Amino acid sequence: MIKVGILGYGNLGRGVEAAVTKSDDMELLAIYTRRDPKTVTVKTNTTVKSTADLDTGKEDIDVLVICGGSATDLPEMTPKYAKLYNVIDSFDTHARIPEHYTNVDNASKAAGKIGLISCGWDPGMFSLNRLYATSILPDGQAYTFWGKGVSQGHSDAIRRIEGVVDARQYTVPVEDALRRVRNGENPELSTREKHTRECYVVVEEGADKARIEKEIKEMPNYFSDYDTTVNFISEEELKKNHSGLPHGGSVIYTGETGFDGNKHVIEYSLNLDSNPEFTGAVLTAYARAIDRLNKEGVTGAKTVFDIAPAYLSPVSADELRAHFL
Amino acid sequence: MIKVGILGYGNLGRGVEAAVTKSDDMELLAIYTRRDPKTVTVKTNTTVKSTADLDTGKEDIDVLVICGGSATDLPEMTPKYAKLYNVIDSFDTHARIPEHYTNVDNASKAAGKIGLISCGWDPGMFSLNRLYATSILPDGQAYTFWGKGVSQGHSDAIRRIEGVVDARQYTVPVEDALRRVRNGENPELSTREKHTRECYVVVEEGADKARIEKEIKEMPNYFSDYDTTVNFISEEELKKNHSGLPHGGSVIYTGETGFDGNKHVIEYSLNLDSNPEFTGAVLTAYARAIDRLNKEGVTGAKTVFDIAPAYLSPVSADELRAHFL
């Protein structure tokens, strides 16, 4: 049995908890929290412990799944715990991946452990599909579309506006753009042409809706480059119709081969009821892989690009060849 | 530069020729044929040589791409040349993969080389997607649909009927089955419910069309389990509208996570103008991978399951992390 620890018990931590529970070859040893463990109630009967226990380096875990935020948690936590355990995270600040990789690589190598970073679906499964497609068809172009799905960052940004009680923001790919890409037209698409943003907003009684709508639509980076629609709804409606965290999207790659201009379209798409549960399931499969690789003597930082697919599966190599190939 | 040899110059060999030509880090050393090399004209200015040259084991190639048929060529050729070179094939008789693997593994290990078998899109990219999806969502189900595309085996089967001059058979996925699977209904689908078969047939003048249509539709294994339509057309029309070899299909995986029945759909689909050119492009990317792995000291038989994705790309690991993750 692979002994797994989870650090952090938000949506993603709960997703990993569920995925490990469903994996016959894994056992969930403990959930670690920075809060007082007594105040944290978990879904399964897993022990909740303090990060102080984790810091001793003596916890009997094969892989620690670090479920923190990319802005401040992971840049600090992953290198820290990579000195003690095999670790895996879902670091998703694309621009800072090289720096994060180097920090984790130094820590993991010194400890004789593996640190797998930026795992999930984007970065993660979408990255893999961009890599496979470009390697097969070097003469081509990759397009990534996200949604329809909830962007937590954008929802948070709306919540910070004065007069807003709660909000949910959906990123929606533009159908016409999808159609043109799938059609092999290789269009040049602006930010506005690829996605729209749909906002569902609950406001305080008497709030100035016109001002709030304007503030949302003109917010730089988040909304100003998009066609944005704002719907004001009641708190009840938000709870009833917008409490899930669905997401998904597509990597569409179009490329040419040969001397006669033959075209090919490769599409990988996800349609997810729960973004954190799916991401947790991806992290869990890769936790299995790095436990095995570390037992074979591999150390240092890794990404999904470095892991041979067979390592993700609990099924033997013979069975995989006989039934999955 | 990775020096590549191609054995066999049919449609697939031509596909590999084109793909190697488009790869900046590869050079095509020679195309080997069992025919008299003088009678073989190739698309590029590559040297054509006899398999007798290959048999010496002295050809200066890093990887030999074996482009033969799975029925009789590959079971004999791949183990034979695995004793001499790094080899790669597209062996696609699913039931005989374990036996083929063992034969190639013994030969490759003895030679200190790698033999990668069953590469292409199915087996190949489709297999990878079945494996990734099942590993991430163990509680789920995989569906594979093929087409719309030309099945060469079925086209050949029609050509063997008395009175038939030429034929082209398209495998077509049933739209309603696709819709139900994508919808997460997890349907049990019979062979007939998943695909239909469309035949375009050119017959001799005065041939008994009713008899030919009946023979096609009742042909066991090939057509009797499917809803088959037969269209009699002229030789000119066949040449004009049915001379390509398009193919494709989808691996659709539906699975659940968590304790609230959240559902997820993962779909990988291919839409290919040229089946042999795309397959040749996949073989070429994996040829790069096995050259590198062998230079690192890896030997023995491999499949796509055993190859970490980064090995397929000519781009450095740093660049991949910075731009593809």
Side-chain angles (χ1 to χ4, degrees), chain A residues 248-283:
Chain A
S250 306
V251 173
I252 309 177
Y253 191 92
T254 56
E256 268 190 40
T257 58
F259 307 107
D260 309 311
N262 282 318
K263 288 185 175 184
H264 311 283
V265 183
I266 306 174
E267 179 165 351
Y268 178 81
S269 64
L270 295 173
N271 188 345
L272 312 173
D273 271 0
S274 165
N275 182 357
E277 285 185 7
F278 185 79
T279 304
V282 178
L283 286 166

Side-chain angles (χ1 to χ4, degrees), chain B residues 112-182:
Chain B
K113 301 288 182 185
I114 295 180
L116 190 130
I117 63 161
S118 301
C119 187
W121 59 274
D122 197 4
M125 300 313 295
F126 274 17
S127 322
L128 277 181
N129 277 280
R130 289 186 285 260
L131 174 58
Y132 276 118
T134 319
S135 302
I136 294 168
L137 303 176
D139 182 7
Q141 200 172 340
Y143 293 85
T144 304
F145 290 91
W146 295 274
K148 183 176 177 176
V150 172
S151 165
Q152 308 220 51
H154 288 79
S155 301
D156 288 343
I158 299 171
R159 283 189 205 105
R160 285 191 293 265
I161 294 174
E162 203 196 314
V164 171
V165 175
D166 203 353
R168 193 73 88 221
Q169 193 270 181
Y170 295 92
T171 306
V172 185
V174 174
E175 276 302 324
D176 191 58
L178 280 169
R179 186 193 53 74
R180 290 174 63 198
V181 169
R182 286 184 181 129

Side-chain angles (χ1 to χ4, degrees), chain A residues 14 17-19 21-23 43-44 94 97-98 101 117-118 122-139 182 256-275 277-278 281-282 285-286 288 301 303-314 317-318 320-325, chain B residues 14 17-19 21-23 43-44 94 97-98 101 117-118 122-139 182 256-275 277-278 281-282 285-286 288 301 303-314 317-318 320-325:
Chain A
R14 276 184 273 269
E17 179 188 24
T21 306
K22 287 205 178 185
S23 300
K43 196 98 180 176
T44 56
H94 288 261
I97 285 174
Y101 178 88
I117 64 160
S118 302
D122 196 6
M125 300 313 294
F126 273 17
S127 321
L128 277 181
N129 278 279
R130 288 186 284 259
L131 173 57
Y132 276 119
T134 319
S135 303
I136 294 167
L137 302 177
D139 183 7
R182 285 184 182 130
E256 268 190 40
T257 58
F259 307 107
D260 309 311
N262 282 318
K263 288 185 175 184
H264 311 283
V265 183
I266 306 174
E267 179 165 351
Y268 178 81
S269 64
L270 295 173
N271 188 345
L272 312 173
D273 271 0
S274 165
N275 182 357
E277 285 185 7
F278 185 79
V282 178
Y286 276 94
R288 173 182 297 118
T303 74
V304 294
F305 295 160
D306 305 310
I307 311 295
Y311 284 95
L312 303 184
S313 172
D318 281 350
L320 287 180
R321 279 190 297 273
H323 302 297
F324 288 76
L325 206 57
Chain B
R14 274 184 274 267
E17 178 188 25
T21 306
K22 287 206 179 188
S23 300
K43 197 96 180 175
T44 56
H94 288 262
I97 285 174
Y101 179 88
I117 63 161
S118 301
D122 197 4
M125 300 313 295
F126 274 17
S127 322
L128 277 181
N129 277 280
R130 289 186 285 260
L131 174 58
Y132 276 118
T134 319
S135 302
I136 294 168
L137 303 176
D139 182 7
R182 286 184 181 129
E256 268 191 41
T257 56
F259 307 109
D260 309 311
N262 281 320
K263 288 186 176 181
H264 310 283
V265 183
I266 305 173
E267 178 165 351
Y268 178 81
S269 64
L270 296 174
N271 187 346
L272 312 174
D273 271 0
S274 165
N275 182 357
E277 284 186 8
F278 185 79
V282 178
Y286 276 94
R288 174 182 295 118
T303 73
V304 294
F305 295 159
D306 305 310
I307 311 295
Y311 284 96
L312 304 183
S313 173
D318 281 349
L320 287 181
R321 280 190 297 273
H323 303 297
F324 287 77
L325 205 57

Side-chain angles (χ1 to χ4, degrees), chain B residues 215-226:
Chain B
E215 277 194 46
I216 294 173
K217 289 185 170 176
E218 293 178 356
M219 197 185 298
N221 302 319
Y222 286 88
F223 293 99
S224 63
D225 295 336
Y226 298 85

Side-chain angles (χ1 to χ4, degrees), chain B residues 1-4 20-21 23-29 60-63 288 291 295:
Chain B
M1 295 291 266
I2 302 168
K3 294 187 280 285
V4 177
V20 172
T21 306
S23 300
D24 296 336
D25 61 335
M26 297 181 144
E27 99 189 79
L28 190 52
L29 205 87
D60 182 28
I61 49 181
D62 294 312
V63 185
R288 174 182 295 118
D291 172 61
K295 282 174 179 150

